[in-house]
Amino acid sequence: MPGRTEKPIKASEITAPELYYSRRSFMQLAVGAALAPLLSQSAWAGDKLSGKPNPAYAVPDKPTPREDISHYNNFYEFGTDKEAPAKLAGSLKTRPWTVAVEGEVHRPKIFDIDELLRLAPLEERIYRFRCVETWSMVIPWVGFPLAELIKQVEPTGNAKFVEFITLHDPAQMPGQRSSVLEWPYREGLRLDEAMHPLALLAVGLYGEVLPNQNGAPLRVVVPWKYGFKSAKSIVKIRFLEQPPLTAWMKAGPNEYGFYANVNPQVDHPRWSQARERRIGDFFRRQTLPFNGYAEQVAGLYAGMDLNRFF
Ligand SMILES: Nc1nc2c(c(=O)[nH]1)N[C@H]1C(S)=C(S)[C@@H](COP(=O)(O)O)O[C@H]1N2
Ligand SMILES: [Mo]
């Protein structure tokens, strides 16, 4: 039989932090400093896609090299190894591509991706990005506020949540032949979170079209939340009255909540969230509440018990 059959892995078995990073560091030591750059050689030759730098949304931290941004990925549709997406996502067909926007909206619409690219002026925003596994990066995204799209479709008074649904195509996405998560990948935000000016629809990074492994042709970026909230390769956006049940909530309800705000005070059941390793750094640093965006977003959660709504 042509397809691979993989032993199902429980999501709770696969996200132990730092294991990968230390294995990779060890391998790089083992092959010697001279050979290491060859191993991370990029095959990515992205088309130019620049956005106007928006200094109001640029953190002062040094951006992570694009080699790391595009070779250390979580995109389980292409496997659970950090290097798998860079190896396997190259063949994902990102044209033609449509995004259906539906549900509780007055103007549901199927957008062609090239129409979406012209929906609002593209900006460059340099955001911190923190994975629940405790690594972090600094990424110069190209995109526009998610709110611009939301305004176009005019949510009804019943719309309280937004669901993001990734492409489901096991022929193109070999990881979908394993049941590590329920496919298609689903994520969600409360409508006011989705409308927040920091919530971005990203179509590029480092002035080029998004590499497939980073979620081409279109992904969300929600920088104050753990990375898994930022759904990749989106084909459908639904407006709902009730919160959607996300892929990670189904995989581990005690471990991955709906909110998933970066919070150094609320540990993952299996590890601390107090510190993080910025990819490229040797020493860990303290994790900041809301990933450093507290001033902008803490108000969204006023009066909520963040231990309960994790
Ligand atoms: N469709 C889809 N989106 C996804 C994931 C995934 O497995 N599938 N992984 C999430 C997780 S856990 C993280 S940390 C980020 C990683 O984004 P990056 O590879 O661009 O850094 O994508 C998120 N979005
Ligand atoms: Mo993640």
Side-chain angles (χ1 to χ4, degrees), residues 164-243:
F164 304 92
I165 304 174
T166 293
L167 178 70
H168 188 200
D169 184 357
Q172 290 203 77
M173 297 177 141
Q176 289 181 335
R177 296 173 213 157
S178 139
S179 54
V180 59
L181 289 175
E182 190 182 289
W183 311 113
Y185 192 97
R186 290 166 194 274
E187 258 310 333
L189 297 171
R190 225 168 51 191
L191 183 60
D192 60 337
E193 297 178 319
M195 289 291 293
H196 191 280
L198 274 169
L200 197 71
L201 271 179
V203 292
L205 57 81
Y206 267 117
E208 294 181 359
V209 165
L210 217 51
N212 289 349
Q213 58 268 36
N214 292 92
L218 180 81
R219 57 136 354 130
V220 232
V221 179
V222 197
W224 70 95
K225 292 176 179 277
Y226 291 123
F228 64 89
K229 299 300 290 182
S230 296
K232 294 176 166 182
S233 305
I234 294 165
V235 293
K236 193 177 280 191
I237 301 178
R238 291 207 296 182
F239 290 76
L240 306 167
E241 199 165 356
Q242 298 298 325

Side-chain angles (χ1 to χ4, degrees), residues 142-154:
V142 177
F144 59 85
L146 174 56
E148 296 290 340
L149 173 65
I150 297 178
K151 282 185 227 155
Q152 293 247 331
V153 295
E154 297 175 17

Side-chain angles (χ1 to χ4, degrees), residues 9-84:
I9 322 162
K10 283 219 309 276
S12 58
E13 290 167 9
I14 48 186
T15 46
E18 298 297 348
L19 233 111
Y20 171 89
Y21 194 83
S22 43
R23 182 167 54 106
R24 188 178 75 153
S25 308
F26 176 75
M27 274 166 52
Q28 289 190 341
L29 279 178
V31 295
L35 273 176
L38 288 175
L39 288 177
S40 58
Q41 204 69 211
S42 177
W44 166 40
D47 290 329
K48 292 273 170 274
L49 183 67
S50 52
K52 186 165 178 257
N54 186 336
Y57 294 96
V59 294
D61 315 28
K62 183 169 154 277
T64 303
R66 66 184 185 181
E67 284 298 317
D68 290 323
I69 297 174
S70 59
H71 287 80
Y72 188 81
N73 300 105
N74 275 337
F75 199 170
Y76 280 16
E77 284 83 344
F78 295 98
T80 55
D81 281 356
K82 293 287 185 282
E83 314 95 323

